[in-house]
Amino acid sequence: MLKPMPALSSALADRFAKVRGLSLALAAPLSDADATGQSMPDASPTKWHLAHTTWFFETFILRDYLPGYVLHDERFPFLFNSYYEAEGRRHARDRRGMVTRPTLDEVRGYRAAVDAALLRALPGLPVAAHELVALGCHHEEQHQELLITDMLHLFGENPIEPAIWPPARKVPVAMPGPVGWIEHAGGIVGIGHDGDTERADFAFDCEGPRHDTLLLPHAIADRTVTNGEWAAFIADGGYREARHWLADGWAWVKAEAIAAPLYWEERDDGWTRFGLDGRRAIDPAAPVTHVSFFEADAYASWAGVRLPTEFEWETAAAGYDPAGGNQLDEAGPVEPRPAVAAPAFFGDVWQWTGSAYRPYPGFRAAEGAVGEYNGKFMSGQFVLRGGSCATPRGHARASYRNFFYPHQRWQFTGVRLAKDL
């Protein structure tokens, strides 16, 4: 499951320190109350994210590879285990906001203690432990994106809609022209991470094994759907008519009174959106975001096309730089940027595909608790590709498979279209 990283522990130590530092920087503007609040069961408090990622390193590296290691606090495994059944009992996910103690400062102290112990031990740890440290860094990067989107949801539920970051400076960009189509003649293509043990890159277990699949002739859009295009969908009755919706999606629209993307609100002067820089007018040229799979599928139907399969997306994206585009580099304003003329597949918004999140042929989960990381979630969810403005740069790749339930939309999720030829 795990891929080897650079042999020098100093390189891994530098990466570890950089990842851990970014998490603290993201949380820096928050009060203890901000970091404790939980706005819904799908979201977790910032304080929990900071502690859980620390528990991961303490548990799977320090506890398991350092004989005689004493836990920083014997209560923390119960509080900060997420879903690892092999690690025993844990606090209920939907009650994480009730953990008012330890304080945010105590969690920072926990992080500092574990970081110091791990960095001291790293040069003497075996290769297997180095691989787990690498996994832990990628795991923490996933939680950095969750931390941002969970903060956004929390502040979006606050009646005064506070801003914690200043607005991003943007050079005005004109509305993009009509969608261009990248055609593919079809045929047998290789999908998934190749597992090349001679390379130093990383992949999660769900990205392999690499295998062949058949693509039929198709075309995929050269950009994602914009806010302006989504506003036209709304104006044309997109949320008022059932004909473009899956049955489960239409039931969700009616039950939840869904009428626009999450954080959108119509005011006298037009559509606005809430972000971590406060409430502002939507940018019609920017990619639409915070839409569910149900909404993405309905929009595609309204547009007379469909969502791409994850295999079509990966094949088209393989020639593009996964570290390019608008992704997270440091703590600060996070927002999709206006679309540009050149085709782009990475950054700004995760893109829903029409593919169910299921294992690839030959997939086997690893033994032990780490094997629970991905495999047991391969039910009832859909795959997203491409990374977002909240994805740490360098975290994504063409084979990367993100996944969420079809109604979820608090992440930076958007839409790229496809069609049959």
Side-chain angles (χ1 to χ4, degrees):
M1 166 182 154
L2 303 176
K3 310 296 183 289
M5 297 299 289
L8 295 176
S9 60
S10 60
L12 185 55
D14 289 345
R15 170 156 168 73
F16 174 81
K18 180 180 179 181
V19 170
R20 300 286 282 169
L22 179 56
S23 297
L24 290 177
L26 291 170
L30 306 184
S31 68
D32 190 273
D34 292 335
T36 301
Q38 181 179 20
S39 54
M40 63 171 175
D42 286 336
S44 296
T46 294
K47 187 167 67 179
W48 185 89
H49 286 297
L50 296 176
H52 165 72
T53 50
T54 304
W55 168 86
F56 185 98
F57 287 111
E58 183 181 45
T59 299
F60 298 122
I61 293 94
L62 298 181
R63 184 199 67 182
D64 289 355
Y65 284 91
L66 286 185
Y69 176 80
V70 178
L71 294 178
H72 182 80
D73 190 313
E74 63 183 14
R75 301 168 298 177
F76 285 5
F78 174 78
L79 291 178
F80 302 127
N81 178 8
S82 54
Y83 52 69
Y84 296 90
E85 298 288 349
E87 288 298 321
R89 295 174 60 248
R90 59 197 180 278
H91 186 58
R93 178 178 179 176
D94 62 354
R95 303 286 290 173
R96 290 171 182 168
M98 299 296 101
V99 184
T100 58
R101 305 285 179 94
T103 66
L104 178 57
D105 282 342
E106 288 172 326
V107 168
R108 290 190 182 112
Y110 176 38
R111 288 177 68 89
V114 168
D115 288 1
L118 191 147
L119 289 171
R120 283 195 304 269
L122 189 59
L125 293 176
V127 171
H130 282 208
E131 292 175 341
L132 284 169
V133 174
L135 172 62
C137 289
H138 285 268
H139 167 253
E140 182 145 350
E141 286 177 332
Q142 290 180 314
H143 278 273
Q144 287 165 353
E145 183 158 9
L146 288 167
L147 187 156
I148 290 169
T149 52
D150 291 355
M151 282 197 307
L152 174 57
H153 194 271
L154 177 70
F155 287 118
E157 291 293 298
N158 188 318
I160 65 172
E161 296 187 325
I164 66 166
W165 287 325
R169 290 184 177 181
K170 293 187 296 187
V171 177
V173 175
M175 281 290 291
V179 168
W181 296 96
I182 302 170
E183 296 188 355
H184 193 284
I188 302 294
V189 297
I191 293 296
H193 195 270
D194 60 16
D196 185 348
T197 57
E198 298 300 316
R199 300 195 307 169
D201 60 343
F202 173 93
F204 289 111
D205 58 353
C206 65
E207 297 176 52
R210 188 166 176 84
H211 62 285
D212 289 338
T213 193
L214 173 65
L215 298 185
L216 297 178
H218 67 278
I220 190 168
D222 63 352
R223 63 168 175 83
T224 55
V225 174
T226 66
N227 287 323
E229 290 164 334
W230 201 273
F233 170 64
I234 296 173
D236 196 41
Y239 287 92
R240 298 193 303 270
E241 299 178 6
R243 61 194 176 102
H244 295 301
W245 293 82
L246 296 169
D248 287 346
W250 186 243
W252 171 76
V253 165
K254 303 302 287 183
E256 302 296 328
I258 305 297
L262 185 63
Y263 307 126
W264 280 36
E265 181 179 308
E266 191 171 24
R267 297 192 172 177
D268 292 342
D269 54 352
W271 286 107
T272 65
R273 63 92 180 124
F274 176 73
L276 287 171
D277 58 352
R279 182 163 292 282
R280 301 184 180 277
I282 65 165
D283 183 342
V288 69
T289 190
H290 302 299
V291 294
S292 68
F293 170 83
F294 290 141
E295 290 166 284
D297 186 80
Y299 180 92
S301 174
W302 173 80
V305 288
R306 60 173 174 82
L307 299 179
T309 70
E310 64 168 317
F311 312 123
E312 292 169 344
W313 189 98
E314 183 174 327
T315 301
Y320 293 85
D321 181 7
N326 177 28
Q327 301 184 51
L328 181 69
D329 293 302
E330 59 187 9
V334 175
E335 183 182 5
R337 293 175 182 166
V340 294
F345 279 84
F346 294 92
D348 282 315
V349 292
W350 288 101
Q351 298 145 52
W352 286 106
T353 74
S355 298
Y357 179 55
R358 291 291 295 149
Y360 287 163
F363 172 82
R364 295 291 183 273
E367 297 294 327
V370 175
E372 299 183 49
Y373 196 88
N374 282 312
K376 71 181 187 180
F377 298 108
M378 292 176 171
S379 173
Q381 306 196 66
F382 283 83
V383 174
L384 301 99
R385 297 296 195 113
S388 81
C389 54
T391 303
R393 192 177 304 279
H395 181 73
R397 59 206 149 263
S399 61
Y400 193 104
R401 307 173 78 199
N402 200 354
F403 50 93
F404 286 105
Y405 291 100
H407 67 281
Q408 292 175 319
R409 58 183 191 156
W410 89 110
Q411 296 298 309
F412 285 94
T413 50
V415 184
R416 183 184 299 272
L417 301 174
K419 62 182 180 180
D420 300 319
L421 293 179

